[in-house]
């Protein structure tokens, strides 16, 4: 019998957040509520982002839209994969063994979040090239090279976490599966491998590129303002300070990157502490993991609130949906009125 279908030795279901839940409930209510809530937000939010990108051609003028859409698809798959632990917590029958389901789910989530992390690093590199080499940017960054880069991101993410099936837990810790919590341990060497191959390079690239981007933008803004002041003083007009044209878009991407690492920092710290046998706690494991997974919804919120072009595309999409609903309602009302008139004519 599948071990996910049975309760623990006390007769209660296996719950990481088993804090005063009702005796009559035979599944983990609090965990189910948290995971299903995040699943709905992640899926709905990223579907909206994907539709807006397809319906707003102006958004595709930026090469970073390739990586933003890659992140949206990866985050959407994270939301869909959350259905697996939801069914497990509800004690829904699973055909495969719990250990295999646990390993596959941990691997898939780790790969998808690695794609998001690598995409953020590539976005920062793209903006760095756009600001440092504006004249040769279009020849360096081509659609063909962007597709190759995205394909490399997916392949690299899959390969980095592939040893987890034999080496140890890849980094997923919200162990709703009992086998994951009791039998699948983290390995310090595998943790060091992941940090060296993924976390550290991505963090270094992001810090290096955005530091230089804002330094260059600040320098450009200073030069532009000095020139405007010089020309305006000659013409007798007061010049207004003008920001760097690329700084606003860089700030949007910087916010997305900052929130990503803020939400993932507790998870990474716990990952390192647990791997080194310094600290281990099931509640902290669950909360840090699902806090990190919640970033899959935060990306679309930040982008929709920060990007004016995205907001226009969202308004256009919502307006088209409302207009379509209105036309359907009018057509339905007109067909209803015609049917009523025809039925009245038959009774005359």
């Amino acid at each position: 019998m599948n071990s996910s279908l049975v309760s623990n030795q006390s007769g209660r279901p296996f719950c990481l957040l088993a804090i005063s839940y009702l005796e009559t409930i035979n599944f983990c209510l609090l965990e189910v509520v948290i995971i299903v809530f995040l699943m709905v937000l992640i899926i709905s939010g990223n579907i909206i982002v994907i539709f807006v990108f397809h319906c707003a051609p102006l958004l595709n003028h930026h090469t970073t839209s390739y990586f933003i859409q890659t992140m949206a698809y990866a985050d959407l798959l994270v939301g869909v994969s959350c259905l697996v632990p939801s069914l497990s917590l509800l004690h829904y029958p699973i055909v495969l063994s719990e250990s295999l389901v646990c390993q596959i789910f941990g691997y898939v989530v780790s790969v998808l979040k690695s794609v998001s992390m690598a995409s953020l690093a590539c976005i920062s590199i793209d903006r760095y090239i756009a600001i440092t080499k504006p004249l040769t940017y279009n020849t360096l960054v081509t659609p063909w090279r962007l597709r190759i880069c995205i394909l490399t991101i997916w392949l690299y993410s899959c390969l980095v976490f592939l040893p987890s099936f034999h080496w140890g837990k890849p980094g997923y810790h919200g162990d709703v599966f009992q086998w994951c919590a009791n039998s699948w341990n983290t390995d310090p060497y595998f943790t060091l491998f992941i940090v060296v191959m993924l976390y550290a390079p991505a963090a270094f690239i992001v810090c290096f590129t955005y530091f230089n981007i804002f330094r260059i933008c600040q320098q450009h803004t200073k030069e532009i303002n000095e020139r405007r002041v010089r020309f305006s003083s000659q013409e007798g007009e007061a010049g207004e300070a003008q920001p760097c044209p690329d700084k606003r878009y860089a700030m949007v991407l910087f916010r997305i990157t900052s929130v990503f690492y803020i939400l993932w920092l507790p998870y990474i710290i716990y990952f390192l502490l647990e791997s080194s046998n310094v600290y281990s706690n099931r509640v902290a494991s669950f909360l840090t993991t699902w806090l990190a997974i919640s970033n899959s919804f935060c990306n679309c919120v930040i982008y929709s609130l920060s990007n004016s072009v995205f907001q226009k595309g969202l308004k256009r999409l919502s307006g088209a949906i409302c207009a379509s609903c209105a036309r359907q309602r009018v057509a339905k009302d007109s067909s209803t009125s015609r049917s009523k008139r025809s039925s009245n004519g038959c009774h005359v």
Side-chain angles (χ1 to χ4, degrees):
M1 185 176 180
N2 192 343
S3 58
S4 65
L5 303 179
V6 296
S7 301
N8 54 20
Q9 294 178 354
S10 63
R12 294 180 176 181
F14 174 76
C15 305
L16 291 174
L17 302 181
I19 305 175
S20 302
Y21 63 89
L22 298 177
E23 297 289 340
T24 56
I25 297 177
N26 60 352
F27 58 87
C28 306
L29 178 62
L30 186 55
E31 287 93 323
V32 170
V33 170
I34 293 174
I35 294 175
V36 171
F37 179 70
L38 287 177
M39 181 177 66
V40 172
L41 289 181
I42 292 170
I43 292 176
S44 58
N46 286 284
I47 286 177
I48 292 174
V49 169
I50 292 170
F51 270 110
V52 170
F53 267 98
H54 283 287
C55 297
L58 289 176
L59 287 171
N60 293 318
H61 288 178
H62 293 284
T63 55
T64 51
S65 65
Y66 286 84
F67 297 110
I68 294 290
Q69 291 181 70
T70 300
M71 290 174 57
Y73 281 109
D75 291 336
L76 177 62
L77 292 176
V78 169
V80 174
S81 65
C82 289
L83 183 64
V84 176
S86 303
L87 295 177
S88 175
L89 289 170
L90 292 170
H91 291 180
Y92 191 86
I94 300 176
V95 178
L96 301 175
S97 64
E98 185 182 31
S99 60
L100 182 59
V101 173
C102 172
Q103 288 179 317
I104 292 176
F105 177 72
Y107 172 78
V108 169
V109 172
S110 299
V111 168
L112 293 175
K113 299 317 296 178
S114 173
V115 170
S116 296
M117 191 176 295
S119 297
L120 289 173
C122 290
I123 287 173
S124 65
I125 294 173
D126 175 81
R127 290 298 89 198
Y128 179 76
I129 296 174
I131 291 177
T132 57
K133 300 177 185 275
L135 298 179
T136 59
Y137 174 79
N138 290 330
T139 58
L140 292 174
V141 182
T142 61
W144 182 80
R145 289 180 178 177
L146 287 172
R147 294 187 183 98
I148 294 295
C149 183
I150 291 171
L151 180 61
T152 304
I153 288 174
W154 282 95
L155 291 176
Y156 182 79
S157 300
C158 292
L159 292 175
V160 164
F161 287 97
L162 195 59
S164 64
F165 289 95
H166 299 285
W167 204 344
K169 192 182 296 184
Y172 165 71
H173 295 282
D175 300 321
V176 295
F177 303 102
Q178 191 168 359
W179 185 88
C180 281
N182 298 333
S183 304
W184 200 21
N185 300 319
T186 54
D187 186 279
Y189 294 103
F190 185 57
T191 302
L192 180 62
F193 173 78
I194 295 298
V195 170
V196 171
M197 298 299 292
L198 181 63
Y199 295 158
F204 174 78
I205 289 172
V206 167
C207 293
F208 174 81
T209 52
Y210 278 116
F211 174 79
N212 285 279
I213 285 172
F214 290 119
R215 181 179 60 82
I216 294 171
C217 280
Q218 188 176 12
Q219 183 178 356
H220 287 179
T221 302
K222 184 179 179 181
E223 293 176 355
I224 292 172
N225 291 337
E226 288 178 352
R227 292 176 182 176
R228 289 182 62 87
V229 169
R230 189 183 306 116
F231 287 121
S232 61
S233 61
Q234 294 175 357
E235 297 176 0
E237 298 177 356
E240 298 180 357
Q242 296 292 326
C244 177
D246 293 319
K247 188 175 182 179
R248 180 175 297 178
Y249 192 65
M251 280 298 299
V252 175
L253 303 174
F254 179 72
R255 292 190 193 105
I256 294 176
T257 306
S258 300
V259 171
F260 180 91
Y261 281 98
I262 289 172
L263 294 178
W264 273 81
L265 186 60
Y267 164 82
I268 294 174
I269 293 175
Y270 180 83
F271 184 28
L272 297 174
L273 292 176
E274 185 185 74
S275 301
S276 56
N277 296 323
V278 175
Y279 177 75
S280 179
N281 183 276
R282 289 182 175 181
V283 175
S285 169
F286 182 89
L287 294 179
T288 55
T289 297
W290 291 98
L291 178 66
I293 290 177
S294 68
N295 177 77
S296 297
F297 171 70
C298 295
N299 289 338
C300 49
V301 173
I302 297 171
Y303 204 80
S304 61
L305 294 178
S306 303
N307 193 296
S308 59
V309 179
F310 185 90
Q311 293 173 2
K312 292 178 182 178
L314 184 60
K315 291 179 181 178
R316 186 178 301 174
L317 177 63
S318 59
I321 294 174
C322 292
S324 177
C325 293
R327 285 195 297 268
Q328 291 180 359
R329 191 180 299 110
V330 170
K332 184 178 180 181
D333 292 340
S334 60
S335 62
T336 304
S337 61
R338 283 197 301 269
S339 62
K340 287 183 178 179
R341 286 196 297 268
S342 61
S343 60
N344 293 334
C346 292
H347 288 288
V348 174

